[in-house]
Every structure is written in C-alpha cells, then in structure tokens.
Amino acid sequence: MIFALRRILVTVPMLIAVSLAIYALTDSLPGDAADMRFEKHPESKAEWREGRGLNDPFVVRWWRYIGGVVGDFDFDRSYLDDQPVGGELVRKLQATFELTVIALILALLIGGTIGILSAVFPRSPIDYIGNFIALAGISMPVFWLGMLLIVFAVNVLGLPFTSNRVDPLLDMDEFVTHLYIFESVVRFRFDVFWSCLANIALPAIALSSIPMAVITRMTRSAMLEELGKDYTTTARAKGLRHRTVILKHVLRNALIPITTITGLQFGGLMGGAVLTETVFSWPGLGRYIVKKGVEARDTPVIVGGILLVATMFILVNLIVDLLYAVIDPRVRREA
Amino acid sequence: MRHALFLLLAVALATGCARKEKKGSGATFIWGRSGDAVKLDPALVTDGESVQVITNLFDTLVTFKPGSTELMPWLATSWTTSDDGLVWTFALREGVQFHDGTAVNAKAVVFTFERQKDKDHPARKKDDVFAYYTTNFRALKSIEAVDEHTVRFTLSQPYAPFLSALALFSCSIVSPAAFDREVDFSMHPVGSGAFVFESWQRDSQIVLTANTKHWDAPKIGRLIFKPIENPQARLKELESGGIHGMDNPDLLDIASAEKDSALSVVRKPGINVCYLALNNQKKPFDDKRVRQAIAFAIDKKRLIRAAYDGKADPAVTMCPRSMAGYHDITDRKPSIDRAKQLLADAGFPDGFSTVLWYPAIQRTYLPDSGGTAIQIQQDLKAIGIDAKLKKVEWAAYLSATSNGDHPMCILGWMADIFDPDNFLYVLLDKDNAVAPAENRSFYRGERVHQLLLQAQRSAEWSKRQALYAEIQTALHEDVPCVPLATAPDFRILSSRVAGYELYPAGGEYFRHVSFKK
C-alpha cells in the first residue's frame, strides 16, 4: 500500500514537469489558436488574444495554468470553444475506456486462445494460421482495416452500419455517466445495451488487431518456454490429464509476461486511438487531443489531455505491478 | 452462477424488447457531416459546422430564397431606405415568438445588434469577440426601436452590401430573456427559428425538434446533426440508412454515388475562389510583367484535372462566376512563349528561383493542396521559374502569410456576404494589405482602391455592376494574384428524401425536407 502511495506521489512533480515541457513546445510553434479561430478576421485576433491573456509572457501563462490545475483542479477553458476542458476530458476518457476494455477482452480471448493452441501444437497448421493472423494484425494499418470492416459489413453482409456510440434516437436522458454499456446493464436498459454493442463491434475489432497479435505471440512463446520445463514433465509423469497440465500449470506460469504485455497495451490504448476513433467517429480521447487540440492549437486541450494520458499510463502500470502479486505468490512473499 | 445468468437473460428478454425512444412526433432526419459545432451563439461563431445548426435555430431579418443567393423578407416583412442610403427602417413580422415564449419584437432586434456593438453591453462576456460584426458592420452607427414592430438602423456612411449583411448568420435575432439564465447561451441557444434546440452531446449529436408555431414550420419532427469525420465512413453510413444526407463527400466517391439509385447527388456551383497570391511587395513580383508571365504560364484546365478530379471550374477573376457582379472576361490562353517574352522584358530571360508556399490542409476550394502546388511548380518550370515548394501547417500558414512572409502562396476564400465587395474589397483592397492582412497579395493599387470604395457607397445596383466590371478588368490586366479555380459544393442524400435545397450561401436549412412515402 505504501509502495503504491509512494509511486503515485513521485509522479506529481513529474507531471508538472511534463506540463511545462508540453506547454513550452506548443507555445514555440509558429501560429496559434487565434489564427485558426479567426482565420478570416485578422482584426479580431488581437482582441481575442488580449481577452484570453495570450499576450502575457509564457511563464506567467503556464504558472496561471498549473496553479489552476493544482489549486482548483481546473484545466482551463478550450481556446476553440471556450468550454471547460476538464469535464470534456472526463467524458472522452469514459468513451475511450469502454472501447479499450472491449477491444482488450476480444484480444485476450482470441489472441490468448490462438497463442495457447499454437504452443500446444507447434508447427501444425493451427500454429501457421495463428502466426499469419498475428502478422497480418500487426502490419495492417488500422484505418485501412477499419474501412475494410465497414465495407465488409455494409456491402457484403448487408448489416446497418452506424458510427459513434449509440443510436441517437434512443432516450437516454436518465444516463449520468458516459460508460453506456455498463450503465445500461445497471439500469436494465437493454435497448441501449444492444445498440452500444452493435456500435462498438467494428471499432473494437479494428482496435484489437494489434494487441491481439502481440498477445498471440507472447502467449505462444511464454507457453513454449514453460512447456519445456521439468515441472511440466513431472506433472505429466504423475499422470495428470493433458488439459489440466496445460491450463492449470503451464498457463498459470506463463501468465506473468502475458499480464505485463496486456497492461502495456492497455496503458497505450487508454491514450486514445486516434486512427480507430477517426474512422468510426468514436468520441474518445485520441481524437479530442489530436484533432481538436493539436490541429486547432488548443493548448489547454493538448496539455490537459497529455497530463491525463500520462496519469492513466502510470496508474495502469501500478495496477499491473499489483496484479503480479495476485498471480504469483512468490511476489507476494517478497513484498 | 448459471441461474443468475438465466435470470439476467430473462430480464433482458422481457425488458430489452421495449425500445424507449425520445419523445416527440414526426419523422427524424439525420444529417451526417464532417465535424461537430464549436458553439451555437450566432454572434460568436466563425466555423461552418456551427453555422449549419444555427441557420435552423434562428431567424434573420432577411434571408436567402431557397437554394439561391437572392434575398427575401423573413422576420422583417418590408423595409424602406432613406434617399441618402443612411437610414434603413424595417417592419417586423407580428405575432412571432422565441422558443422560450417571449415575443420577437423591435427590442429583441436592438438587443441582438447592441450586444455585438457596445463594448460594455451587460450581455457581453469578458472575452467575447464578435468577429463577423467587426468585419461587416463598421458602418453601423446606431439602431433603435421605433415602436413594438419597427426598427431603424442608421449608418455613418452609405454601405451597399448592408442588406446582404443582415442575412448573415451572425445577425440571427436572439432571445434577450435567454441571457438572464444561469446556463451558457452558446450551449443552450434560444431563437425563433424553424427548429428548437433540444440537446447537444459533444462530438456525438445535436438534436433539434420542429417548431410547430413557426410560420414556415418544418415537415419533419426532429433533426439530428451527427459528426462523422471520415468521408468514406459517412458515405457507408448513408448507404446503410444510418443517416439521410451528408456534406463534403470525397470527390473520388461522387461517380459511384451517382450510379447508386438509392442515393442522389446534389451539385451547385460554389461561391468560392482558390488563388495563387503573388506578394506584390516583394521582388520580382512587384513587376507587373512578371505577374502577367505567371498568369500566362499556369494552365488552369490541366490543374483542375490533376488536383480537383476535374470537378471544378477555372476562375477568371477573383469574383466567382455564379455571384452577381461577375464580369465575363475572356481569360488568357496559356502560352509559354508569351510568358517567356514577358519575363525577358522584365529582365529575367533565364527565369529566377523563388518559393511557393502551400498549406497542409484540405479545404472545399483546395481539395488537394499538394497536387495543386506541384502543378503550378511544373507550369512555372516550363518558363524558367524554379519554385521550391514549402508546405506549412495551417495555423502557422495563416499567421505567416498574413504577415507577408511568402513570395507566392496558395489560398482561397469562401463568401460570407453575397456581394462582390466580399471578394474584391476584402482580398485586394489596399485597406486590407496591412499585416495582419487578408489581402495576401499585398496589392495596393490606388485606382482599384478608389473604385472599390465608390462601389461600396453607391446604392444603385446597375452603377455598382459597372464599377465592379471596371475593377475586374483592371485586376485582370494588373494580375495581383492568379485566380485558379472555383470548386462546386456537393451533398449526397438518400433518394427517399424530398425537398432538400443546397444553399450556396453556406449554412443548411432543413425546414422543407421530408421523406417520400
């Protein structure tokens, strides 16, 4: 527990340094938000810059910003639409979280299964097919795969395709969070639940392609390594069933590297998947930070977004470390 | 565990079939577009996505006839002008209400304009910047409510585009009562338009419902704006019935959409111009012969085939062809010999080297900025001008070119107000050639300046038309910049949809849209 607390506390100064670096970087680029927002109105640029305090020296602005973040948990207002960035980040984070979780569940189920089968039957057709799928998954650009999935769904299967998260006609006034799948189950709103699943299916498949490939390869090699160890032979020798040996002994020992790689993938995906989100118009973090923040030179969105992503990454890594203790009793004993 | 699952499944089957839809009656029309609105306060916005929504929520005093750029009475039923063109008096439509139930009267009109005009207006927030007002209403001196249904505008000098300017979205009449609430007006707008604001989930959807009390009430019950960023995904969603219409299709998809009987493609000549700005303050572009040589070198037809997939019209003057006031000039025939001759006369028989700036962005008028730049580069190479390409990110591009850092740059303009003044004065008058400049050619022609001012101040259209003809002829001779192309506007709709009109003026108006039986 103390270990976890210390890890969190150490990150605070790190995050402040990160914010300074990002703030300085976006500031040093030529052109700013006013150039974009008042593209056709040169005289309004100066007026707006003055009003939003953009004419103050860089250090003054950063200090005001970080003061707001630390003091009031206020992430400033967007330079594009003047709305508070904090609330928007939280909403976008929930959309990203939902997509990431579903994609990773898919990746674990499919990738894990293929990985185990490839390890148990090495150099068999299933190993080669698994290898091929993994290679294809990691080398296919996701925007292309995404379009391919859409075309396949619409023109081949004749399924209705809708982007975004849920059917806009559904009455969802009672919803308080943006975790629609979770909340619809809690509220017994299965109309919303099905609509969410239908909408999330394609982006989740597209997004899961890379983690699925990584998990497949990692599972296969970790399993192969454990399969060659003495305890496996012992287990077999004492007459355990093949399935029990694989699932109870070998897989459990292979879980540590699989957990590590899954955690890393999770942390990475939580930063938002710009390409997937763009193809499927998913209102997530990646699109918010890159499309709204970077393209519009919206410094509060960029800095706030990156702070949030960095925090998420650190948290996920911490959770992974704690998970090791659950999986492996030796880690527990050492701590 | 298994029992719990069965129970869950049973509940799901029992309740899951009950689909709870939003309340309200009538059909729902879903419009897929490339981005979400920024804010919905008509006086503050500067982006097209917000305007699409605003034109459905609010009314202006005058508006555009369906599918045209001609004006018609709207909230104002009639108006008179004083002989000197300084005083405009408008009679308002009676019995109109805002969506919050308050009356649309002269006071509301005065409020709408004074909020944008007075720096210390109570409804003005600290960093509100009214860009469109600042640009287009410099001449407005005062506005007063004569009685409940009459308003009077007084101008400080005659300003011919005034009536066209009143049709601008930024002049939408807003409900004064709505500014006394706790909530932010730009997130919860209240107007008097054909649709009423219902809800907005950022980057997901904006929902409007029909205003049945409107004098031109919509045929549909609900209107939803849905941002779908990727144009191919948008088209697929249209094909599969998730949306009923879309804007900004990929030019390469138009041919296949035209063949699909379930879709209909709407095309209108655009009111925009893409041009090559030559920095008239920099050598060697200060020499008219060099500029003329460049105009002779560029083959616009080939450029349009290469960079617009053939779907654009060559621009001859800086005023688009479909705009009233366009002067039909015969364009120069591309000629390498004449271009070389002019360059030699100017003292550059072997050409020179320079830099051509182009933006890292796609716009309606510039769907392929890189392709456009390469075509121009090749044309210039043929006459000995070695132009290095410089691609600049959009924000930096706008900032640097308005400061005049470029020798040559590619840019475009879409009309705000439907008047030649909005192109010719804004883009080429010497008033606008001071950094940060909209006149990115930094052209300071005195004669053109005088003519432009004269045209701005004459009330008679025939006189203005003659002046604009003279201006365009002078500019064609002087070549401060080379007009390249005018790109058409495209929309794709489901063929079930009836009554859709494309408004070249920008914005979308969905009150006449309905579904075929």
Side-chain angles (χ1 to χ4, degrees):
Chain A
M1 208 55 227
I2 293 167
F3 155 76
L5 258 180
R6 202 173 54 203
R7 279 273 295 266
I8 292 173
L9 282 178
V10 164
T11 59
V12 172
M14 209 157 81
L15 287 176
I16 291 180
V18 165
S19 83
L20 180 63
I22 308 278
Y23 217 94
L25 272 175
T26 42
D27 206 73
S28 61
L29 294 170
D32 67 8
D35 289 315
M36 309 282 283
R37 188 166 159 177
F38 300 103
E39 178 194 331
K40 295 165 92 180
H41 307 274
E43 12 177 0
S44 299
K45 286 180 193 170
E47 190 187 341
W48 182 80
R49 282 194 189 110
E50 188 59 44
R52 287 300 296 266
L54 256 71
N55 290 335
D56 298 340
F58 160 70
V59 179
V60 175
R61 273 180 292 132
W62 176 74
W63 187 247
R64 198 161 52 207
Y65 175 81
I66 206 71
V69 171
V70 175
D72 308 320
F73 214 64
D74 171 16
F75 286 82
D76 204 359
R77 289 174 304 133
S78 155
Y79 285 165
L80 184 69
D81 56 32
D82 301 316
Q83 297 300 315
V85 170
E88 204 55 46
L89 280 174
V90 172
R91 277 192 286 277
K92 299 291 195 264
L93 180 70
Q94 296 177 51
T96 293
F97 181 76
E98 206 161 72
L99 180 59
T100 304
V101 168
I102 302 285
L104 268 187
I105 289 176
L106 274 180
L108 272 174
L109 284 180
I110 303 174
T113 314
I114 298 177
I116 293 170
L117 288 175
S118 320
V120 178
F121 308 106
R123 290 186 198 82
S124 67
I126 196 151
D127 187 16
Y128 291 127
I129 293 171
N131 202 352
F132 176 77
I133 294 177
L135 211 68
I138 211 153
S139 28
M140 238 189 296
V142 77
F143 53 87
W144 187 74
L145 176 64
M147 274 319 294
L148 209 66
L149 286 171
I150 295 176
V151 172
F152 186 70
V154 174
N155 299 64
V156 180
L157 300 180
L159 294 173
F161 160 68
T162 50
S163 57
N164 219 307
R165 299 183 66 188
V166 64
D167 183 347
L169 292 178
L170 289 170
D171 178 12
M172 292 173 60
D173 291 346
E174 56 192 14
F175 279 60
V176 286
T177 71
H178 283 72
L179 294 169
Y180 292 155
I181 295 186
F182 177 74
E183 191 169 347
S184 63
V185 172
V186 173
R187 287 185 186 278
F188 290 107
R189 282 293 303 277
F190 290 97
D191 52 341
V192 176
F193 180 72
W194 293 124
S195 170
C196 285
L197 279 195
N199 277 284
I200 208 170
L202 294 185
I205 293 173
L207 187 62
S208 71
S209 63
I210 291 174
M212 193 187 290
V214 175
I215 288 170
T216 308
R217 300 308 293 164
M218 190 51 95
T219 311
R220 182 181 181 274
S221 62
M223 290 282 290
L224 274 179
E225 198 186 319
E226 297 297 326
L227 275 169
K229 285 191 178 159
D230 289 345
Y231 75 87
T232 314
T233 321
T234 314
R236 289 231 173 89
K238 74 178 181 185
L240 284 180
R241 278 195 309 176
H242 190 57
R243 213 173 68 183
T244 320
V245 176
I246 300 293
L247 293 181
K248 283 242 161 100
H249 295 265
V250 180
L251 181 61
R252 213 173 256 188
N253 280 298
L255 267 183
I256 290 258
I258 299 173
T259 312
T260 311
I261 203 77
T262 311
L264 278 176
Q265 293 287 331
F266 187 77
L269 291 185
M270 277 309 286
V274 190
L275 295 175
T276 312
E277 286 172 4
T278 305
V279 173
F280 295 96
S281 292
W282 193 263
L285 262 187
R287 214 168 121 222
Y288 184 57
I289 298 171
V290 174
K291 293 279 166 175
K292 284 216 156 160
V294 178
E295 283 184 10
R297 282 303 165 67
D298 199 339
T299 314
V301 170
I302 303 174
V303 182
I306 289 185
L307 283 182
L308 181 69
V309 170
T311 316
M312 291 307 302
F313 208 93
I314 292 165
L315 273 183
V316 169
N317 280 342
L318 187 69
I319 293 170
V320 169
D321 283 356
L322 296 177
L323 266 182
Y324 289 155
V326 179
I327 299 166
D328 191 342
R330 285 170 300 184
V331 177
R332 239 174 311 181
R333 228 165 288 138
E334 277 163 30
Chain B
M1 188 59 203
R2 206 162 274 178
H3 290 288
L5 266 179
F6 271 121
L7 196 68
L8 200 70
L9 200 69
V11 175
L13 282 175
T15 57
C17 307
R19 199 178 136 90
K20 202 170 147 200
E21 293 208 348
K22 289 197 167 79
K23 288 175 213 80
S25 59
T28 299
F29 179 83
I30 307 180
W31 180 247
R33 57 209 197 118
S34 44
D36 199 16
V38 169
K39 43 174 64 190
L40 295 177
D41 182 337
L44 290 175
V45 304
T46 51
D47 66 302
E49 307 298 347
S50 303
V51 175
Q52 282 191 351
V53 185
I54 283 168
T55 45
N56 289 287
L57 281 173
F58 294 90
D59 289 320
T60 44
L61 292 178
V62 291
T63 193
F64 300 103
K65 287 183 184 162
S68 103
T69 54
E70 275 175 70
L71 298 174
M72 65 174 185
W74 197 236
L75 256 184
T77 49
S78 64
W79 52 88
T80 54
T81 328
S82 66
D83 291 338
D84 56 6
L86 290 178
V87 183
W88 294 69
T89 313
F90 291 83
L92 301 182
R93 192 181 286 269
E94 294 185 23
V96 183
Q97 282 184 350
F98 287 113
H99 304 147
D100 60 8
T102 56
V104 179
N105 52 22
K107 275 199 191 113
V109 178
V110 171
F111 174 90
T112 296
F113 284 89
E114 283 191 339
R115 176 169 80 105
Q116 304 182 49
K117 186 172 180 290
D118 299 341
K119 289 265 181 263
D120 48 3
H121 193 274
R124 187 170 184 150
K125 278 188 291 182
K126 198 184 118 258
D127 41 51
D128 281 355
V129 173
F130 301 104
Y132 274 82
Y133 184 87
T134 314
T135 315
N136 298 304
F137 288 90
R138 289 190 192 107
L140 181 60
K141 194 163 86 185
S142 68
I143 168 169
E144 58 195 314
V146 179
D147 60 40
E148 182 74 8
H149 294 292
T150 315
V151 276
R152 185 185 293 148
F153 293 82
T154 311
L155 307 183
S156 53
Q157 58 183 17
Y159 179 54
F162 182 65
L163 198 63
S164 308
L166 286 181
L168 201 59
F169 60 88
S170 71
C171 300
S172 299
I173 309 304
V174 295
S175 161
F179 285 85
D180 295 334
R181 301 170 306 170
E182 284 290 302
V183 293
D184 182 357
F185 186 87
S186 48
M187 299 298 286
H188 301 272
V190 181
S192 62
F195 289 91
V196 183
F197 177 78
E198 187 184 297
S199 66
W200 180 3
Q201 275 184 307
R202 288 201 157 253
D203 296 321
S204 296
Q205 71 210 43
I206 296 177
V207 184
L208 315 183
T209 49
N211 176 9
T212 47
K213 291 182 193 153
H214 197 268
W215 67 88
D216 193 2
K219 298 200 169 81
I220 46 173
R222 184 180 285 111
L223 172 61
I224 295 178
F225 292 88
K226 190 172 175 187
I228 306 164
E229 203 172 317
N230 181 302
Q232 279 88 23
R234 212 171 332 147
L235 184 62
K236 286 293 157 206
E237 194 158 342
L238 181 65
E239 280 175 22
S240 74
I243 56 173
H244 307 111
M246 62 177 272
D247 64 2
N248 294 329
D250 194 314
L251 290 181
L252 299 174
D253 287 335
I254 295 210
S256 67
E258 272 168 344
K259 281 189 208 117
D260 190 336
S261 63
L263 302 177
S264 64
V265 177
V266 185
R267 176 191 172 135
K268 273 257 167 91
I271 303 197
N272 56 57
V273 63
C274 179
Y275 59 94
L276 172 70
L278 308 169
N279 191 336
N280 286 234
Q281 301 304 316
K282 277 198 176 164
K283 279 190 187 315
F285 303 108
D286 55 345
D287 190 324
K288 188 168 97 180
R289 289 166 298 189
V290 172
R291 303 197 299 261
Q292 285 172 335
I294 291 173
F296 270 114
I298 292 173
D299 186 342
K300 295 175 192 173
K301 290 212 176 93
R302 195 168 61 206
L303 171 78
I304 287 166
R305 271 201 306 277
Y308 291 80
D309 196 36
K311 295 183 185 70
D313 303 303
V316 183
T317 82
M318 286 295 278
C319 181
R321 195 178 285 270
S322 49
M323 165 92 88
Y326 167 73
H327 183 49
D328 200 2
I329 301 174
T330 318
D331 206 1
R332 293 180 177 83
K333 253 208 161 87
S335 160
I336 293 176
D337 296 336
R338 294 203 55 185
K340 278 188 168 161
Q341 184 59 46
L342 280 161
L343 269 189
D345 291 349
F348 298 99
D350 305 319
F352 54 89
S353 52
T354 180
V355 183
L356 170 61
W357 291 43
Y358 71 100
I361 200 168
Q362 289 170 6
R363 312 294 273 175
T364 311
Y365 51 74
L366 190 60
D368 176 7
S369 61
T372 306
I374 290 171
Q375 275 300 318
I376 294 173
Q377 184 189 37
Q378 285 179 350
D379 284 344
L380 293 181
K381 201 176 205 169
I383 62 166
I385 299 177
D386 173 30
K388 293 211 167 42
L389 296 186
K390 180 169 173 168
K391 182 178 182 177
V392 185
E393 189 262 339
W394 187 231
Y397 190 76
L398 290 171
S399 152
T401 53
S402 77
N403 287 328
D405 295 350
H406 59 288
M408 286 197 283
C409 74
I410 301 170
L411 255 173
W413 182 259
M414 285 185 275
D416 295 324
I417 303 186
F418 292 86
D419 196 284
D421 182 72
N422 192 245
F423 282 89
L424 300 170
Y425 177 78
V426 174
L427 299 176
L428 289 165
D429 191 86
K430 77 170 191 185
D431 286 351
N432 295 320
V434 187
E438 202 52 78
N439 177 352
R440 281 161 161 105
S441 312
F442 289 85
Y443 174 70
R444 296 188 178 138
E446 187 56 37
R447 177 157 160 262
V448 167
H449 171 63
Q450 291 304 332
L451 289 169
L452 279 168
L453 287 189
Q454 228 179 310
Q456 222 172 45
R457 286 172 193 165
S458 345
E460 244 177 280
W461 175 244
S462 59
K463 203 176 154 200
R464 297 187 65 210
Q465 209 166 7
L467 284 166
Y468 284 124
E470 200 180 335
I471 293 165
Q472 286 169 70
T473 312
L475 288 172
H476 192 257
E477 168 66 22
D478 232 9
V479 206
C481 58
V482 186
L484 298 172
T486 293
D489 287 322
F490 285 104
R491 309 279 189 273
I492 305 181
L493 287 110
S494 153
S495 43
R496 282 172 58 222
V497 173
Y500 175 81
E501 285 277 5
L502 197 165
Y503 284 64
E508 296 285 349
Y509 299 77
F510 292 113
R511 58 179 186 270
H512 294 152
V513 163
S514 63
F515 290 98
K516 289 177 197 155
K517 286 278 158 356

